[in-house]
Amino acid sequence: MIQRIQSLYLLLAAGAGTATWFLNLWKAKLSNNTESYFNAQSSFLVFVLYMLIVLLALICIFLYKNRKLQFRLTVINILFAIGAIILQYFKVQDHANTLVSSGVSIISATYLPGAFLPVLILIFLFLAARGIYKDEKLIKSLDRLR
């Protein structure tokens, strides 16, 4: 199970997804000398989507005997990761618009390193899917030889 490199990639994707729960993703300095942060727990939908990504990656680790299902679920998880990146962007913009509409101006805003973890999740899931596909291809070629 863990001997396969794609299991390690799935575990790393789950770890990066878990880290997004706790790290701040965006920071803004406001005109009243305060700072506002956005993290995954600031938005219920973003938090649930990252939770789903982590759960699906962990489930895929234990589906090593059924490579076709493991590959399909990993591809679905890749689509969820792309959706999470897009949703995160729009929720940060919504948070910034909420701050501005409350009468506070934003002096400076920046994405924090935690905001780039979804890109790592996407890379790890892609590498896992590639590894699963290679395993399936190898097994099919060995079955032809029998």
Side-chain angles (χ1 to χ4, degrees):
M1 172 172 66
I2 295 293
Q3 297 87 353
R4 299 167 59 216
I5 189 69
Q6 55 267 30
S7 298
L8 182 62
Y9 289 141
L10 289 168
L11 190 63
L12 288 172
T18 304
T20 59
W21 296 346
F22 304 108
L23 295 175
N24 291 323
L25 306 175
W26 183 77
K27 176 179 87 170
K29 286 188 178 185
L30 305 177
S31 60
N32 57 4
N33 293 330
T34 60
E35 292 180 345
S36 177
Y37 292 95
F38 179 84
N39 57 20
Q41 296 176 3
S42 300
S43 171
F44 178 74
L45 190 57
V46 173
F47 183 74
V48 168
L49 190 56
Y50 284 127
M51 194 180 299
L52 183 66
I53 289 170
V54 169
L55 185 65
L56 202 53
L58 291 176
I59 288 171
C60 285
I61 291 173
F62 297 104
L63 291 175
Y64 60 93
K65 290 185 179 180
N66 190 349
R67 285 175 304 280
K68 289 182 182 179
L69 179 61
Q70 188 182 34
F71 180 75
R72 286 186 195 130
L73 289 178
T74 303
V75 169
I76 290 171
N77 211 2
I78 288 171
L79 296 175
F80 283 151
I82 292 169
I85 292 169
I86 294 168
L87 182 65
Q88 174 184 313
Y89 173 76
F90 283 117
K91 286 296 184 177
V92 165
Q93 292 302 319
D94 186 44
H95 183 72
N97 291 339
T98 303
L99 288 173
V100 170
S101 67
S102 68
V104 179
S105 62
I106 298 174
I107 296 173
S108 68
T110 182
Y111 281 97
L112 299 173
F116 301 103
L117 285 175
V119 176
L120 277 179
I121 294 170
L122 188 62
I123 291 169
F124 288 140
L125 289 174
F126 176 75
L127 291 172
R130 191 178 71 168
I132 296 165
Y133 180 75
K134 283 183 180 180
D135 273 1
E136 186 64 27
K137 198 171 164 182
L138 178 67
I139 297 299
K140 283 184 181 180
S141 71
L142 291 175
D143 285 344
R144 273 195 305 259
L145 293 174
R146 287 188 217 176

